[in-house]
Each structure stands twice: as C-alpha cells, then as structure tokens.
C-alpha cells in the first residue's frame, strides 16, 4: 500500500514537472515532422513533456489523419488535432496518405485512429487559444516546425497576444538560415506569416536554422534497425514512402523538439540575443541586441554525434 502510494506520488510529481508542449507542424511535406512527433511521444513516456495538442499548417486532410494515427500508435489517441484553414501546400503526399490508408487482410486499418478524415479536426487557431487558456501561466512550450500560418494568426487579436505573453515559456522554431543568405522552405512558403511572427511574437524564441538539421542526418540503417521492435511503425512507413530507401534524411524538425524539451541538455549552443527578420524571398537575418528575445541554435563538431544519437534514440524508443 505504501509502495502504491509512493508510486502514485512519484507519477504525479513527474507529471507536474512535465512541460506542456504544443506541436505545430506541416506534417506531410517532409519526413522529419514524423520523426519529431515520435520524439515528443518518447519524451512524454519519460515524464519530460506532455503533448497537449498538435496543430497543422499543411492544408491537406491526410495530415490530420496521419498525426492522429501516430498519436493513437503511442496510445495517446485523445490528443486534440487542429487543422489550418486556407493554408499553404495543400497537395497530397504519400508519406501521410499511404500509412493512413493501409489495411490488414481483414479490412481493418493497420494504424487505427480516431479521425475518419481531416474535416473532423478542429480549426487550429481556436485550438491553440483553448489549449493555452487551460495551462498555467509561463508554462507552455510551442514547437513550430512548419509554416508560421497558425501562430501568426494567433497574433491578430490583442487578447490572444496577451494570452501568448502570459502562458508561453518558449517558442522553439525550425526555420531560416543563419549561416547563408538563402531562402528556407518554412519561411518561403508563407513569407507574410513568418515576417509577422518574427516581428511580433511577444516572448522568448529560439530558432533552429537550416544548417543545424543539415549537419546531422538520420541514417537509413538506423530506420531499418532501431524500429524493429514492432512490425508496423507509422513513422517507418512514412519514411519508406517519402523517398526511395535507403536514404539519410536531415534532422531539421527533430532539433527543434530536442531543444524545446531539453534546453539545458548541452546538445546545442545558443547565439547572442537579438532580433530575427525575414524577407519576401524567405531569407532570414539576425541583428544582435542585448534586450532581444530571439536567439538561434548553433552546434559544434564535438556536440554533433551525441545530439544525433540522442534524437535517434528518442525517435525510435519503443511504446511503453
Ligand atoms: Ca516540417
């Protein structure tokens, strides 16, 4: 009885420490979003975070279905999923569609899910508002690994800006490029939203630029080996349907998740404080200023191997 009580208390303690996370993703445009979502589930299983909701910026119905089935695979099919309205990149993508449609010989889905189709998902900005309102002040971490469409819209109303200011501890973003003046996909696809986010986000923001995920590639051999604990894994299925195997893929979105949940892990270095700006071409620039609330990730040669190994371990961690 004492042991049971202790277990309950320890579990409750871990739960209280677990940082509430919202994952905002363009699921379907690249496979790193799927690996990043797997990492969040592993981190939740370890008591480090609580995935309170997923909002999507890819305007394709399979994106919501795929996110929902991954959540269900990790036995968290209750997590709310929000869809962008009139978003960019509506095109179909095999990496989200093929796993969603796979059925067994008896006709049942290989990956059961709650959402029958994307139209059943709630609207993303309304969901963001609801999720933030329900959490403690200064507690929420948002991970944005797609376009800024949803979060920029959340900044339209002054009361929502105030909500963000009050509730959000950190916004961890994958976007931009801080070593070369080159357009980056997440900025380029919705330049107006990206500009607005960088100009007006009222809190701490740490950005993982193109160069960080580019420096660490998820090895195809580890996709084959480390996920072998289960016959059908929705993230492996997505990986196989994104490009012809075997291929190593950049870990862009995974880096934003790792920093978001383990900011003190020593996996990355941080730039000085300052202000990020983006242009109509999708390029980002950084202006340092002591009072700035924006920084970007940097990584040393010495950090790379450990950081990559950690991301591989979390993404492939078995369901508990
Ligand atoms: Ca992405």
């Amino acid at each position: 009885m004492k042991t049971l009580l202790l277990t309950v208390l320890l579990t409750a303690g871990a739960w209280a420490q677990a940082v509430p996370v919202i994952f905002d993703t363009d699921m379907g445009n690249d496979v790193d979003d799927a690996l990043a979502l797997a990492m969040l589930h592993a981190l939740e299983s370890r008591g480090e975070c609580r995935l309170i909701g997923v909002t999507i910026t890819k305007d394709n119905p399979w994106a919501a279905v795929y996110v929902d089935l991954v959540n269900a695979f990790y036995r968290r099919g209750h997590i709310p999923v929000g869809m962008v309205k009139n978003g960019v990149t509506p095109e179909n993508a095999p990496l989200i569609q093929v796993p969603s449609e796979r059925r067994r010989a008896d006709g049942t889905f290989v990956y059961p899910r709650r959402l029958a189709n994307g139209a059943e998902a709630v609207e993303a900005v309304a969901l963001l508002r609801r999720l933030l309102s329900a959490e403690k002040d200064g507690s929420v971490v948002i991970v944005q690994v797609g376009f800024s469409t949803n979060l920029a819209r959340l900044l339209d109303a002054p009361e929502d800006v105030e909500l963000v200011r009050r509730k959000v501890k950190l916004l961890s973003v994958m976007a931009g490029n801080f070593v070369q003046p080159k357009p980056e996909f997440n900025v380029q696809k919705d330049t107006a939203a990206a500009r607005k986010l960088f100009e007006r986000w009222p809190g701490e923001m740490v950005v993982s630029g193109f160069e960080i995920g580019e420096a660490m590639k998820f090895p195809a051999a580890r996709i084959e080996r480390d996920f072998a604990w289960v016959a059908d894994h929705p993230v492996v299925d997505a990986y196989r349907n994104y490009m012809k195997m075997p291929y190593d893929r950049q870990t862009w979105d995974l880096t934003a998740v790792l920093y978001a949940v383990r900011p003190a892990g020593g996996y990355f270095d941080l730039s000085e404080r300052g202000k990020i700006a983006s242009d109509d071409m999708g390029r980002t620039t950084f202006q340092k200023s002591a009072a700035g609330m924006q920084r970007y990730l940097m990584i040393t040669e010495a950090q790379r191997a450990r950081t990559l190994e950690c991301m591989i371990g979390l993404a492939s961690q078995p369901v508990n």
Side-chain angles (χ1 to χ4, degrees):
M1 191 62 202
K2 236 179 198 164
T3 317
L4 178 67
L5 183 64
L6 188 65
T7 308
V8 168
L9 286 174
L10 284 174
T11 310
W15 184 257
Q17 281 165 22
V19 58
V21 174
I22 297 171
F23 186 55
D24 185 77
T25 166
D26 65 322
M27 187 66 76
N29 287 325
D30 200 320
V31 77
D32 55 337
D33 297 75
L35 288 159
L37 180 56
M39 277 178 72
L40 283 169
H41 281 289
L43 287 159
E44 176 158 347
S45 297
R46 302 168 75 98
E48 295 181 53
C49 76
R50 222 170 9 104
L51 184 57
I52 58 172
V54 180
T55 48
I56 295 168
T57 49
K58 178 175 173 64
D59 199 356
N60 178 279
W62 293 112
V65 174
Y66 180 78
V67 163
D68 197 52
L69 71 79
V70 170
N71 293 343
F73 174 81
Y74 285 95
R75 299 184 193 151
R76 298 190 185 101
H78 60 277
I79 294 172
V81 177
M83 263 303 277
V84 67
K85 202 185 254 178
N86 304 318
V88 294
T89 69
E91 61 278 359
N92 268 339
L95 86 94
I96 46 177
Q97 184 171 355
V98 174
S100 299
E101 292 188 310
R102 268 190 69 197
R103 287 173 191 269
R104 303 197 183 281
D106 66 1
T108 58
F109 283 120
V110 171
Y111 305 113
R113 80 301 296 264
R114 174 194 46 174
L115 296 179
N117 56 65
E120 287 180 8
V122 295
E123 192 276 317
V125 180
L127 178 60
L128 286 169
R129 199 176 285 133
R130 199 181 86 204
L131 293 171
L132 290 176
S133 302
E135 297 297 327
K136 283 197 191 120
D137 287 1
S139 70
V140 181
V141 170
I142 302 180
V143 185
Q144 183 201 286
V145 295
F147 322 117
S148 302
T149 320
N150 290 332
L151 295 187
R153 285 177 185 167
L154 188 62
L155 300 178
D156 280 339
E159 57 269 30
D160 287 336
V161 175
E162 190 46 41
L163 184 69
V164 169
R165 198 193 306 277
R166 219 171 62 234
K167 302 289 182 178
V168 180
K169 179 161 76 176
L170 171 71
L171 171 58
S172 177
V173 178
M174 190 280 128
N177 189 322
F178 301 93
V179 292
Q180 284 183 299
K182 281 184 176 172
E184 187 279 319
F185 183 76
N186 286 348
V187 180
Q188 193 180 35
K189 286 289 171 184
D190 193 344
T191 53
R195 188 184 312 113
K196 190 165 142 195
L197 188 86
F198 292 131
E199 276 176 7
R200 289 162 51 183
W201 187 258
E204 291 287 329
M205 182 192 296
V206 172
V207 182
S208 178
F210 176 88
E211 63 276 8
I212 301 297
E214 175 72 11
M216 292 174 287
K217 296 195 174 70
F218 206 108
R222 303 296 294 274
I223 294 288
E224 302 284 11
R225 195 187 86 191
D226 294 30
F227 295 78
W229 49 270
V230 64
D232 295 298
H233 193 303
V235 174
V236 173
D237 243 343
Y239 206 96
R240 293 189 196 287
N241 282 287
Y242 180 55
M243 290 203 275
K244 191 178 169 359
M245 286 290 272
Y247 65 96
D248 300 347
R249 192 58 181 164
Q250 283 85 345
T251 55
W252 294 299
D253 295 355
L254 293 76
T255 65
V257 165
L258 186 60
Y259 181 78
V261 181
R262 294 183 178 171
Y267 300 107
F268 309 96
D269 287 340
L270 284 175
S271 72
E272 293 183 87
R273 292 188 161 276
K275 186 83 178 158
I276 297 166
S278 59
D279 66 13
D280 288 341
M281 299 283 290
R283 296 172 299 204
T284 47
T285 51
F286 179 78
Q287 190 79 48
K288 78 176 188 188
S289 67
M293 288 195 287
Q294 300 172 350
R295 289 173 288 180
Y296 58 87
L297 295 182
M298 302 185 297
I299 191 156
T300 64
E301 193 60 49
Q303 285 168 324
R304 271 191 218 175
R306 171 178 174 257
T307 302
L308 176 61
E309 194 55 39
C310 177
M311 294 189 291
I312 294 169
L314 288 170
S316 61
Q317 182 179 295
V319 177
N320 68 341

